[in-house]
Amino acid sequence: MHILGIDVGGTGIKAAIVDTQTGELASERIRILTPQPATPAAIGATLKELVAQQQWSGPIGIGFPAAIQRGVVRTAANIDKSFIGLPIAEYFSQQTDNPVYIANDADVAGLTEMRFGAGKATRGVVLIVTIGTGLGTALFIDGHLLPNTELGHLLLENGIEAEKYASETVRVTKELKWKDWGARFNLYLTTMEKLLWPDLIVLGGGASAKLHKFSPQITTQVPVVAASFLNQAGIVGAALFAEQELRRAS
Ligand code: BGC
C-alpha cells in the first residue's frame, strides 16, 4: 500500500509517499520549515502545500509532537497552545481534503523501528527515545505499543525536566560539546533504565546519527542503538500508523 507519511516537527515538516510493505520511500522527501507561530491554521496550510507538492490524493498518516488521545490533542509542549483539545485528525482532514490518521511522533517512529528497524523481532520491553526539539518516547512490550508515554517531561534528579536538559535544542542553543551533552543525556537514559528496565533502547531523531560522538558517555547496562531509519522513521511510521488504522476499520 502507498500512503503519504508526514512528520510534523518543531523545526521542519517532512513528507514522502511510503511503501508500507517495505518501509521504503516511494517519492522524494520534501521538507518545509514549521511555520511560526505553529498554529493549527498555519500547520494545516503547510500540510496542504506538501500534499499538493507530492501530488497526493488518498490516506495521509501524520506523526505529531503531542499526546493524541482518540484523535484529540492533549499536550502542546513545543507547538501552539491552541492545539489543546482540537480534534486534530478531523481538522487536518478538512484542511487537506484527504482522510488523515494522526498519532504521537515518537510513537509512530517506534512503529517503524519495531517493524523494519533496530527493534525488529525484539521481544520484551523496548524504549525508543527521539532526540529533537523535544525528547519523545515510545514504549513497546513484545512489539505492542503503550501510546503517549510523554517520558521526555520527567523531572530528573537535578529537578530539571528532561527535555529542557538534554534535547537537541538544548545542545544547540547552549552550544554544548557532544561530551557534555552526552553526560546530560546519559543521566536521562540511566534514569529511564532504573524506572523501566527495558531490554533495548533505540535512539531516533536528528542526533541519533551522531551516536558515535556521545556513546562514550553512555553508561547504561541495557544496549543503546541508533534507529535504523534515523530521522526518516517518523515519515515511514506515520504511514504505517495510517495503514494500521485503515485495516482496523475494514
Ligand atoms: C512532546 C511529545 C513529543 C516530543 C518529541 C515533546 O515535547 O510533549 O509529545 O513526542 O516532544 O517531539
Side-chain angles (χ1 to χ4, degrees):
M1 198 186 255
H2 279 186
I3 293 181
L4 182 67
I6 303 184
D7 185 15
V8 176
T11 321
I13 304 185
K14 298 168 276 181
I17 298 167
V18 176
D19 179 336
T20 56
Q21 230 41 49
T22 61
E24 281 163 18
L25 301 192
S27 76
E28 200 189 318
R29 189 187 84 137
I30 300 176
R31 181 177 189 269
I32 297 184
L33 285 180
T34 307
Q36 296 302 338
T39 59
I43 292 196
T46 307
L47 296 177
K48 194 171 176 167
E49 172 64 28
L50 284 166
V51 171
Q53 286 192 27
Q54 291 284 359
Q55 301 180 319
W56 179 253
S57 167
I60 302 173
I62 301 180
F64 197 76
I68 298 179
Q69 195 182 31
R70 287 181 286 281
V72 177
V73 179
R74 296 297 184 197
T75 62
N78 296 305
I79 50 168
D80 199 79
K81 302 293 174 241
S82 59
F83 270 105
I84 293 180
L86 186 73
I88 195 172
E90 214 175 288
Y91 182 79
F92 285 157
S93 296
Q94 278 165 9
Q95 299 251 323
T96 59
D97 290 323
N98 281 294
V100 165
Y101 302 88
I102 183 160
N104 174 262
D105 55 354
D107 283 353
V108 303
L111 292 179
T112 308
E113 292 300 321
M114 295 306 290
R115 176 131 154 223
F116 299 112
K120 194 176 157 190
T122 306
R123 296 190 65 80
V125 176
V126 179
L127 173 68
I128 320 276
V129 180
T130 63
I131 312 158
T133 310
L135 281 184
T137 57
L139 194 60
F140 289 82
I141 167 80
D142 290 344
H144 297 285
L145 172 71
L146 172 68
N148 292 319
T149 44
E150 294 291 319
L151 294 170
H153 298 291
L154 190 93
L155 287 189
L156 297 171
E157 65 189 21
N158 57 16
I160 306 177
E161 187 180 336
E163 79 167 23
K164 299 226 162 67
Y165 186 66
S167 65
E168 173 76 351
T169 310
V170 171
R171 186 185 66 78
V172 173
T173 54
K174 288 198 178 300
E175 297 179 22
L176 296 175
K177 294 206 174 72
W178 280 108
K179 189 170 155 273
D180 298 329
W181 179 84
R184 287 177 172 231
F185 190 64
N186 183 51
L187 174 61
Y188 180 61
L189 289 190
T190 50
T191 306
M192 287 291 104
E193 178 170 53
K194 274 188 277 188
L195 295 175
L196 298 170
W197 295 104
D199 297 290
L200 177 69
I201 296 179
V202 179
L203 304 183
S208 57
K210 301 282 163 54
L211 176 58
H212 61 282
K213 298 204 180 207
F214 60 91
S215 56
Q217 271 67 49
I218 306 297
T219 62
T220 56
Q221 292 172 41
V222 57
V224 175
V225 298
S228 315
F229 284 71
L230 301 173
N231 60 354
Q232 211 92 295
I235 297 178
V236 175
L240 295 180
F241 175 75
E243 182 195 42
Q244 184 181 297
E245 293 301 291
L246 283 163
R247 286 197 199 284
R248 202 169 281 168
S250 67

